[in-house]
Amino acid sequence: MNLEWFLQYHPVLLALFATLFTWFVTALGASMVFFFKSINRKVLNAMLGFAAGVMIAASFWSLLNPAIKMAEESGTTSWVPAVVGFLLGGAFLFGIDKILPHLHLNRSIDKAEGVKTSWERSVLLVLAITLHNIPEGLAVGVAFGSLANNPDTGVLAGAIALAIGIGLQNFPEGAAVSIPLRREGIRRWKAFKYGQLSGAVEPLAGVAGAYLVTTMEPLLPYALSFAAGAMIFVVVEELIPESQSGNETDLSTIGAMIGFATMMLLDISLG
């Protein structure tokens, strides 16, 4: 692949294309509802574990590590952008988590989080997945946005690796929304619509992140770290607890290991 060909396009446009890809993979995962009415708990745990592993690896290899290197090259104390941005990202998701109404998988409606609302259970389930698609889209957008100040094929390859990794873990996420909705009696097409809709926020967050860092270069290390902190918050708050539910958790642990290794392989080999 001739990566230099992509560099002729504006980073914000590349971020849009990349996050449209991750949304498309979410829709592919959601389309599994047309073939399955239910999903085995072991399989779901393994898929959620894989998603968690990808996000943990991406947080370091594709976001925190480049942020630290950028800070060192600019003469800034290397740990400051990484620590400050990381904690701000977690705080941002913590705030949204307390405000946005949502419901985690396999929870009763009385366990819904965020402000109290009369919204249907299906809507609350979609919002739970949508919540952690925000940092994923933001991470991809910031990665491509960094090309504005460093139009290098290595940076581009790292951003592509991140988009591929996020796309891979979006597949099980789409299925994890649509299939449980189908099991609750919602028609297949409507369950698919809700499942793919959870990924629609990624292009919005991606474009916003890319635009921000292309217009405010000094913020780039902080923005990368911010996205990493938001992603780790989601992993610890949602993905790991959900993947470890049930009596058998070995598959979710193995899935996390494979997900981490997959993302690490993509980042090192492509970036």
Side-chain angles (χ1 to χ4, degrees):
M1 181 186 298
N2 184 10
L3 294 181
E4 293 183 358
W5 181 82
F6 291 96
L7 294 176
Q8 65 181 304
Y9 295 101
H10 195 279
V12 174
L13 184 61
L14 292 176
L16 174 61
F17 289 150
T19 47
L20 285 174
F21 162 75
T22 59
W23 181 14
F24 172 72
V25 180
T26 303
L28 281 182
S31 70
M32 292 299 101
V33 73
F34 294 113
F35 306 98
F36 305 99
K37 187 175 182 178
S38 62
I39 184 169
N40 184 279
R41 185 67 229 184
K42 294 180 181 179
V43 174
L44 180 60
N45 283 355
M47 292 194 303
L48 292 174
F50 178 86
V54 168
M55 292 179 70
I56 292 172
S59 295
F60 176 73
W61 293 101
S62 298
L63 300 171
L64 285 174
N65 193 41
I68 293 170
K69 291 180 178 178
M70 288 176 189
E72 290 175 343
E73 292 171 357
S74 66
T76 306
T77 304
S78 60
W79 59 267
V80 171
V83 172
V84 173
F86 184 84
L87 293 178
L88 286 176
F92 173 73
L93 256 291
F94 177 80
I96 293 182
D97 190 63
K98 296 301 180 184
I99 297 172
L100 183 70
H102 62 284
L103 179 66
H104 298 303
L105 292 172
N106 303 306
R107 303 275 182 90
S108 58
I109 191 68
D110 61 301
K111 299 294 184 182
E113 300 179 15
V115 298
K116 299 301 180 182
T117 179
S118 59
W119 293 348
E120 295 180 0
R121 174 183 171 84
S122 57
V123 175
L124 295 174
L125 285 170
V126 173
L127 287 176
I129 301 296
T130 302
L131 178 64
H132 72 237
N133 280 342
I134 294 174
E136 293 171 12
L138 181 64
V140 174
V142 169
F144 278 96
S146 64
L147 288 167
N149 305 304
N150 187 14
D152 180 76
T153 54
V155 176
L156 174 61
I160 292 174
L162 177 61
I164 294 174
I166 295 297
L168 286 176
Q169 63 93 43
N170 273 0
F171 186 88
E173 285 185 0
V177 176
S178 63
I179 295 177
L181 290 178
R182 172 59 181 162
R183 188 175 63 240
E184 293 184 8
I186 294 177
R187 296 191 305 275
R188 279 191 170 92
W189 181 252
K190 189 173 183 179
F192 166 75
K193 182 176 70 174
Y194 279 143
Q196 63 83 27
L197 190 62
S198 67
V201 70
E202 291 194 7
L204 299 176
V207 168
Y211 178 77
L212 178 66
V213 298
T214 56
T215 55
M216 305 179 70
E217 180 182 356
L219 285 181
L220 181 54
Y222 291 91
L224 289 168
S225 304
F226 182 95
M231 286 186 21
I232 290 298
F233 181 92
V234 167
V235 170
V236 177
E237 170 76 7
E238 297 184 32
L239 290 181
I240 290 178
E242 289 173 6
S243 71
Q244 294 287 323
S245 63
N247 296 324
E248 297 187 34
T249 59
D250 287 346
L251 283 177
S252 60
T253 303
I254 294 171
M257 296 292 291
I258 294 174
F260 188 99
T262 300
M263 186 64 233
M264 183 168 57
L265 173 64
L266 283 171
D267 194 88
I268 294 175
S269 61
L270 295 179

